[in-house]
Amino acid sequence: MSVALNTVGAVSVKRTHEILSGVFNIPIATGTISNMVKRCADAVSETVNTIKQKVIDSRLGHFDEIGTRVDKKLWWVHDASNCEFTYLNISPKRGYLGMEQCGVLPLFRGGQKWASAFIDLLMEMKKVKDKAIEAGKESLSYYHNQKFEKRYEELIKQAREKNPLPVTTAKKRGRKKKGKILALVERLDNYKASVCLFIHDFMVPFDNNQAERNIRIIKVKTKVSGCFRSEEGARDYLKIMSYVGTAHKQGHNAYDAIRNAISGCPEFIFE
């Protein structure tokens, strides 16, 4: 119960101490609660490594990141997951993948008409794919594939024309700065296959909601309990939430998963 309250319930160690002391009339020390969480994290370590490997081996992955405080400093929680497994880890650095996935489209405002047209194209792709799935199809028609391919190329061309490289003086050396918009355009061009993968492989979803749902609890934990006191504490918490998140996806509730972990049977979630 102590571990469940402190991790899944996002209740601080101090408040967990107060709740359990009041409910059971036992003066459980805050240090004892921290040790309980540590014991559970140690118990699920190997299972979490298995979860990590299963995500690595999966055909589909969702990735995202979110900031939190560790020992009064800003750290980043990284999520790698799918519909079956959740793997969470923490680092003092933001990942390049997170920068690509967060805050891109909001940059295109004021005169960038191609951007809204690009959004419309993506939404049309999603709509056609959804209809194809409803009809029991496993791929788009040749007509739609060609139509989307042509429209994508047209919009990239418009974007390049709208955002040419800046003119610099002859004396200035070095590479010309592209700016954020042109840099995005080039990435959309270079990574077209990845951007459009969801219409070529129906197993790949349109959005990244899976990863966003997995790390939402980090914000709740931060708001309710404040920052993590140490990197070790943050890693212990994320091990448990990786384990509990995966257990939930496998059809088990959080309390039973934690009880089995502490009892020495964390691998039961794969049975």
Side-chain angles (χ1 to χ4, degrees), residues 122-140:
L122 292 176
M123 296 307 297
E124 184 182 356
M125 289 178 174
K126 180 181 184 299
K127 183 177 179 181
V128 171
K129 175 188 173 180
D130 290 343
K131 287 185 176 180
I133 292 175
E134 290 176 5
K137 298 179 181 179
E138 296 182 355
S139 61
L140 297 187

PDB file of all heavy atoms in Angstrom, residues 122-140:
ATOM      1  N   LEU A 122      -2.309  15.939 -44.186  1.00  0.00           N
ATOM      2  CA  LEU A 122      -2.139  14.877 -43.195  1.00  0.00           C
ATOM      3  C   LEU A 122      -3.489  14.387 -42.671  1.00  0.00           C
ATOM      4  O   LEU A 122      -3.702  13.178 -42.499  1.00  0.00           O
ATOM      5  CB  LEU A 122      -1.279  15.379 -42.033  1.00  0.00           C
ATOM      6  CG  LEU A 122       0.192  15.659 -42.341  1.00  0.00           C
ATOM      7  CD1 LEU A 122       0.890  16.251 -41.118  1.00  0.00           C
ATOM      8  CD2 LEU A 122       0.916  14.387 -42.782  1.00  0.00           C
ATOM      9  N   MET A 123      -4.409  15.327 -42.444  1.00  0.00           N
ATOM     10  CA  MET A 123      -5.727  14.941 -41.946  1.00  0.00           C
ATOM     11  C   MET A 123      -6.515  14.165 -43.008  1.00  0.00           C
ATOM     12  O   MET A 123      -7.271  13.241 -42.680  1.00  0.00           O
ATOM     13  CB  MET A 123      -6.505  16.187 -41.507  1.00  0.00           C
ATOM     14  CG  MET A 123      -5.890  16.927 -40.330  1.00  0.00           C
ATOM     15  SD  MET A 123      -5.566  15.867 -38.891  1.00  0.00           S
ATOM     16  CE  MET A 123      -7.238  15.361 -38.475  1.00  0.00           C
ATOM     17  N   GLU A 124      -6.332  14.533 -44.271  1.00  0.00           N
ATOM     18  CA  GLU A 124      -6.988  13.795 -45.351  1.00  0.00           C
ATOM     19  C   GLU A 124      -6.410  12.380 -45.440  1.00  0.00           C
ATOM     20  O   GLU A 124      -7.146  11.399 -45.651  1.00  0.00           O
ATOM     21  CB  GLU A 124      -6.807  14.513 -46.682  1.00  0.00           C
ATOM     22  CG  GLU A 124      -7.555  13.831 -47.831  1.00  0.00           C
ATOM     23  CD  GLU A 124      -7.339  14.514 -49.165  1.00  0.00           C
ATOM     24  OE1 GLU A 124      -6.671  15.560 -49.214  1.00  0.00           O
ATOM     25  OE2 GLU A 124      -7.849  13.976 -50.170  1.00  0.00           O
ATOM     26  N   MET A 125      -5.093  12.272 -45.287  1.00  0.00           N
ATOM     27  CA  MET A 125      -4.465  10.945 -45.266  1.00  0.00           C
ATOM     28  C   MET A 125      -5.072  10.077 -44.167  1.00  0.00           C
ATOM     29  O   MET A 125      -5.388   8.899 -44.379  1.00  0.00           O
ATOM     30  CB  MET A 125      -2.953  11.081 -45.019  1.00  0.00           C
ATOM     31  CG  MET A 125      -2.155  11.645 -46.172  1.00  0.00           C
ATOM     32  SD  MET A 125      -0.402  11.799 -45.666  1.00  0.00           S
ATOM     33  CE  MET A 125       0.349  12.308 -47.208  1.00  0.00           C
ATOM     34  N   LYS A 126      -5.220  10.663 -42.988  1.00  0.00           N
ATOM     35  CA  LYS A 126      -5.793   9.930 -41.849  1.00  0.00           C
ATOM     36  C   LYS A 126      -7.213   9.490 -42.150  1.00  0.00           C
ATOM     37  O   LYS A 126      -7.614   8.350 -41.863  1.00  0.00           O
ATOM     38  CB  LYS A 126      -5.763  10.803 -40.602  1.00  0.00           C
ATOM     39  CG  LYS A 126      -6.342  10.133 -39.359  1.00  0.00           C
ATOM     40  CD  LYS A 126      -6.306  11.058 -38.163  1.00  0.00           C
ATOM     41  CE  LYS A 126      -6.800  10.365 -36.901  1.00  0.00           C
ATOM     42  NZ  LYS A 126      -8.203   9.902 -37.003  1.00  0.00           N
ATOM     43  N   LYS A 127      -8.003  10.388 -42.735  1.00  0.00           N
ATOM     44  CA  LYS A 127      -9.402  10.093 -43.036  1.00  0.00           C
ATOM     45  C   LYS A 127      -9.513   8.940 -44.033  1.00  0.00           C
ATOM     46  O   LYS A 127     -10.322   8.014 -43.851  1.00  0.00           O
ATOM     47  CB  LYS A 127     -10.085  11.339 -43.599  1.00  0.00           C
ATOM     48  CG  LYS A 127     -11.562  11.177 -43.884  1.00  0.00           C
ATOM     49  CD  LYS A 127     -12.161  12.483 -44.378  1.00  0.00           C
ATOM     50  CE  LYS A 127     -13.643  12.323 -44.690  1.00  0.00           C
ATOM     51  NZ  LYS A 127     -14.224  13.599 -45.192  1.00  0.00           N
ATOM     52  N   VAL A 128      -8.713   8.994 -45.091  1.00  0.00           N
ATOM     53  CA  VAL A 128      -8.737   7.933 -46.103  1.00  0.00           C
ATOM     54  C   VAL A 128      -8.274   6.606 -45.505  1.00  0.00           C
ATOM     55  O   VAL A 128      -8.852   5.548 -45.792  1.00  0.00           O
ATOM     56  CB  VAL A 128      -7.845   8.328 -47.306  1.00  0.00           C
ATOM     57  CG1 VAL A 128      -7.689   7.148 -48.263  1.00  0.00           C
ATOM     58  CG2 VAL A 128      -8.449   9.519 -48.031  1.00  0.00           C
ATOM     59  N   LYS A 129      -7.249   6.662 -44.662  1.00  0.00           N
ATOM     60  CA  LYS A 129      -6.766   5.437 -44.013  1.00  0.00           C
ATOM     61  C   LYS A 129      -7.841   4.841 -43.116  1.00  0.00           C
ATOM     62  O   LYS A 129      -8.077   3.628 -43.126  1.00  0.00           O
ATOM     63  CB  LYS A 129      -5.513   5.744 -43.193  1.00  0.00           C
ATOM     64  CG  LYS A 129      -5.024   4.542 -42.381  1.00  0.00           C
ATOM     65  CD  LYS A 129      -3.900   4.925 -41.439  1.00  0.00           C
ATOM     66  CE  LYS A 129      -3.549   3.762 -40.525  1.00  0.00           C
ATOM     67  NZ  LYS A 129      -2.459   4.092 -39.575  1.00  0.00           N
ATOM     68  N   ASP A 130      -8.505   5.690 -42.305  1.00  0.00           N
ATOM     69  CA  ASP A 130      -9.556   5.205 -41.406  1.00  0.00           C
ATOM     70  C   ASP A 130     -10.679   4.528 -42.184  1.00  0.00           C
ATOM     71  O   ASP A 130     -11.211   3.486 -41.772  1.00  0.00           O
ATOM     72  CB  ASP A 130     -10.115   6.364 -40.574  1.00  0.00           C
ATOM     73  CG  ASP A 130      -9.120   6.882 -39.547  1.00  0.00           C
ATOM     74  OD1 ASP A 130      -8.144   6.159 -39.264  1.00  0.00           O
ATOM     75  OD2 ASP A 130      -9.313   8.002 -39.040  1.00  0.00           O
ATOM     76  N   LYS A 131     -11.072   5.112 -43.310  1.00  0.00           N
ATOM     77  CA  LYS A 131     -12.127   4.510 -44.141  1.00  0.00           C
ATOM     78  C   LYS A 131     -11.679   3.177 -44.718  1.00  0.00           C
ATOM     79  O   LYS A 131     -12.467   2.225 -44.808  1.00  0.00           O
ATOM     80  CB  LYS A 131     -12.523   5.468 -45.265  1.00  0.00           C
ATOM     81  CG  LYS A 131     -13.340   6.670 -44.809  1.00  0.00           C
ATOM     82  CD  LYS A 131     -13.795   7.502 -45.999  1.00  0.00           C
ATOM     83  CE  LYS A 131     -14.691   8.649 -45.549  1.00  0.00           C
ATOM     84  NZ  LYS A 131     -15.159   9.478 -46.694  1.00  0.00           N
ATOM     85  N   ALA A 132     -10.406   3.102 -45.109  1.00  0.00           N
ATOM     86  CA  ALA A 132      -9.874   1.853 -45.657  1.00  0.00           C
ATOM     87  C   ALA A 132      -9.888   0.751 -44.601  1.00  0.00           C
ATOM     88  O   ALA A 132     -10.238  -0.402 -44.886  1.00  0.00           O
ATOM     89  CB  ALA A 132      -8.457   2.075 -46.172  1.00  0.00           C
ATOM     90  N   ILE A 133      -9.535   1.113 -43.368  1.00  0.00           N
ATOM     91  CA  ILE A 133      -9.536   0.137 -42.272  1.00  0.00           C
ATOM     92  C   ILE A 133     -10.963  -0.334 -41.995  1.00  0.00           C
ATOM     93  O   ILE A 133     -11.210  -1.535 -41.795  1.00  0.00           O
ATOM     94  CB  ILE A 133      -8.894   0.738 -41.011  1.00  0.00           C
ATOM     95  CG1 ILE A 133      -7.404   0.971 -41.235  1.00  0.00           C
ATOM     96  CG2 ILE A 133      -9.112  -0.170 -39.805  1.00  0.00           C
ATOM     97  CD1 ILE A 133      -6.705   1.676 -40.090  1.00  0.00           C
ATOM     98  N   GLU A 134     -11.913   0.597 -41.980  1.00  0.00           N
ATOM     99  CA  GLU A 134     -13.316   0.247 -41.761  1.00  0.00           C
ATOM    100  C   GLU A 134     -13.830  -0.707 -42.837  1.00  0.00           C
ATOM    101  O   GLU A 134     -14.687  -1.548 -42.572  1.00  0.00           O
ATOM    102  CB  GLU A 134     -14.174   1.512 -41.726  1.00  0.00           C
ATOM    103  CG  GLU A 134     -13.963   2.378 -40.494  1.00  0.00           C
ATOM    104  CD  GLU A 134     -14.766   3.675 -40.555  1.00  0.00           C
ATOM    105  OE1 GLU A 134     -15.549   3.830 -41.519  1.00  0.00           O
ATOM    106  OE2 GLU A 134     -14.620   4.504 -39.643  1.00  0.00           O
ATOM    107  N   ALA A 135     -13.298  -0.542 -44.037  1.00  0.00           N
ATOM    108  CA  ALA A 135     -13.722  -1.400 -45.160  1.00  0.00           C
ATOM    109  C   ALA A 135     -12.981  -2.736 -45.178  1.00  0.00           C
ATOM    110  O   ALA A 135     -13.170  -3.547 -46.090  1.00  0.00           O
ATOM    111  CB  ALA A 135     -13.503  -0.666 -46.477  1.00  0.00           C
ATOM    112  N   GLY A 136     -12.111  -2.951 -44.187  1.00  0.00           N
ATOM    113  CA  GLY A 136     -11.390  -4.208 -44.103  1.00  0.00           C
ATOM    114  C   GLY A 136     -10.162  -4.293 -44.983  1.00  0.00           C
ATOM    115  O   GLY A 136      -9.617  -5.377 -45.197  1.00  0.00           O
ATOM    116  N   LYS A 137      -9.703  -3.165 -45.490  1.00  0.00           N
ATOM    117  CA  LYS A 137      -8.527  -3.157 -46.353  1.00  0.00           C
ATOM    118  C   LYS A 137      -7.247  -3.061 -45.527  1.00  0.00           C
ATOM    119  O   LYS A 137      -7.256  -2.579 -44.389  1.00  0.00           O
ATOM    120  CB  LYS A 137      -8.609  -1.988 -47.334  1.00  0.00           C
ATOM    121  CG  LYS A 137      -9.813  -2.047 -48.275  1.00  0.00           C
ATOM    122  CD  LYS A 137      -9.836  -0.845 -49.209  1.00  0.00           C
ATOM    123  CE  LYS A 137     -11.049  -0.904 -50.138  1.00  0.00           C
ATOM    124  NZ  LYS A 137     -11.097   0.272 -51.040  1.00  0.00           N
ATOM    125  N   GLU A 138      -6.149  -3.483 -46.113  1.00  0.00           N
ATOM    126  CA  GLU A 138      -4.863  -3.459 -45.428  1.00  0.00           C
ATOM    127  C   GLU A 138      -3.891  -2.451 -46.033  1.00  0.00           C
ATOM    128  O   GLU A 138      -2.759  -2.323 -45.577  1.00  0.00           O
ATOM    129  CB  GLU A 138      -4.225  -4.852 -45.460  1.00  0.00           C
ATOM    130  CG  GLU A 138      -5.045  -5.892 -44.685  1.00  0.00           C
ATOM    131  CD  GLU A 138      -4.388  -7.249 -44.688  1.00  0.00           C
ATOM    132  OE1 GLU A 138      -3.353  -7.390 -45.377  1.00  0.00           O
ATOM    133  OE2 GLU A 138      -4.895  -8.156 -44.004  1.00  0.00           O
ATOM    134  N   SER A 139      -4.326  -1.742 -47.067  1.00  0.00           N
ATOM    135  CA  SER A 139      -3.463  -0.737 -47.703  1.00  0.00           C
ATOM    136  C   SER A 139      -4.331   0.236 -48.487  1.00  0.00           C
ATOM    137  O   SER A 139      -5.509  -0.045 -48.775  1.00  0.00           O
ATOM    138  CB  SER A 139      -2.438  -1.396 -48.638  1.00  0.00           C
ATOM    139  OG  SER A 139      -3.099  -2.101 -49.679  1.00  0.00           O
ATOM    140  N   LEU A 140      -3.755   1.377 -48.834  1.00  0.00           N
ATOM    141  CA  LEU A 140      -4.470   2.357 -49.642  1.00  0.00           C
ATOM    142  C   LEU A 140      -4.412   1.969 -51.116  1.00  0.00           C
ATOM    143  O   LEU A 140      -3.550   1.197 -51.543  1.00  0.00           O
ATOM    144  CB  LEU A 140      -3.854   3.746 -49.450  1.00  0.00           C
ATOM    145  CG  LEU A 140      -3.898   4.367 -48.051  1.00  0.00           C
ATOM    146  CD1 LEU A 140      -3.394   5.802 -48.114  1.00  0.00           C
ATOM    147  CD2 LEU A 140      -5.309   4.338 -47.471  1.00  0.00           C
TER     148      LEU A 140
END
